Structures are given as C-alpha cells and as structure tokens.
Amino acid sequence: MIEIVKIALLGVIGVLLAGWFKGSRPEYTLYVGIGAAVLIFSYAVRCLYSLMAKILELQQYMEGGEGYLGTLLKIVGITYICEFSAGICKDAGFAAVAGQIEVLGKLTVMFAGLPILLAVLEQIQSFL
C-alpha cells in the first residue's frame, strides 16, 4: 500500500514540477512529464515480475489452460503499452496520434482474444 502512495506522490510532484516550468520554460514541461511517466512505468514493470510469479503458480493448477493465461498476459501488456504511449502523445499535443494508438490497441486486443472466443463457442456447441 505504501508503494502506491509513493508512486502517486511521484506523479503529483511531476505534474507540479511541470506546471512550475510551464510559465518560464515550456519546453521542459514535456520532458518532466515524460520522465515522471517513465519512472512510474518502470515501477509497474517491476511489479509485473511478481505478478508473473503468481500467475505461473496459478498455471500449475490449470490443466490445458496454459494458452489462455498467455493470451491474457499478452492482452494486458498490449493495453498497458498502448495506454502509456497514447498518454505521452496526448501530453505532447498529438491527440490524433494518441487516438490512432488507442484504436490500434483495441483492434490488437480484439484479435488476440479471438482464439479464446472460438474456444468458448466450441465448448457451448459441445454441450448442445
């Protein structure tokens, strides 16, 4: 819990620092924002390693569902990367590029989830 507070404070300090530079040195505002975002993202990546350990532990209890877990992790990764990239593009003033990244992310998630949808439909048909 304390780690979340630290990360939230890092974000708030980054925003305040960027706001402080906005009046005198507007070009530094983007750099401070990207720096804070990269620091927070690197912390999130470190947290993913502990999450991966728990998921691998969970995978031991699943029979035949290893592919589903891998797909779920891919979808989560795609979502984080697209959200992070789109946020940086929006902060830089490129909302159109950010929108395109978000659309691409949604399409990629939909494409990655199709095998799971097909497996569910096959299961439903086998019950009928």
Side-chain angles (χ1 to χ4, degrees):
M1 181 69 174
I2 194 73
E3 296 295 323
I4 299 300
V5 173
K6 288 179 185 178
I7 295 302
L9 285 175
L10 176 66
V12 169
I13 290 171
V15 168
L16 291 175
L17 191 60
W20 183 59
F21 278 121
K22 193 173 189 175
S24 61
R25 304 287 269 192
E27 63 272 10
Y28 290 154
T29 303
L30 178 64
Y31 300 137
V32 170
I34 290 174
V38 167
L39 286 173
I40 293 170
F41 187 71
S42 67
Y43 175 76
V45 169
R46 282 189 284 145
C47 289
L48 284 176
Y49 286 117
S50 61
L51 178 65
M52 284 295 297
K54 293 295 181 184
I55 288 176
L56 290 175
E57 183 179 322
L58 177 67
Q59 187 176 7
Q60 294 175 358
Y61 297 107
M62 297 177 66
E63 292 181 22
E66 296 85 14
Y68 300 130
L69 219 45
T71 302
L72 177 66
L73 288 175
K74 286 178 189 176
I75 289 172
V76 169
I78 291 166
T79 305
Y80 280 132
I81 290 169
C82 289
E83 187 72 26
F84 180 74
S85 302
I88 288 177
C89 290
K90 283 179 186 174
D91 288 345
F94 295 98
V97 175
Q100 294 302 313
I101 291 172
E102 290 173 349
V103 168
L104 177 67
K106 290 173 185 176
L107 289 173
T108 307
V109 164
M110 187 172 63
F111 181 72
L114 280 178
I116 295 175
L117 177 63
L118 291 174
V120 168
L121 291 175
E122 287 175 5
Q123 283 289 352
I124 291 173
Q125 274 189 333
S126 70
F127 290 134
L128 299 176

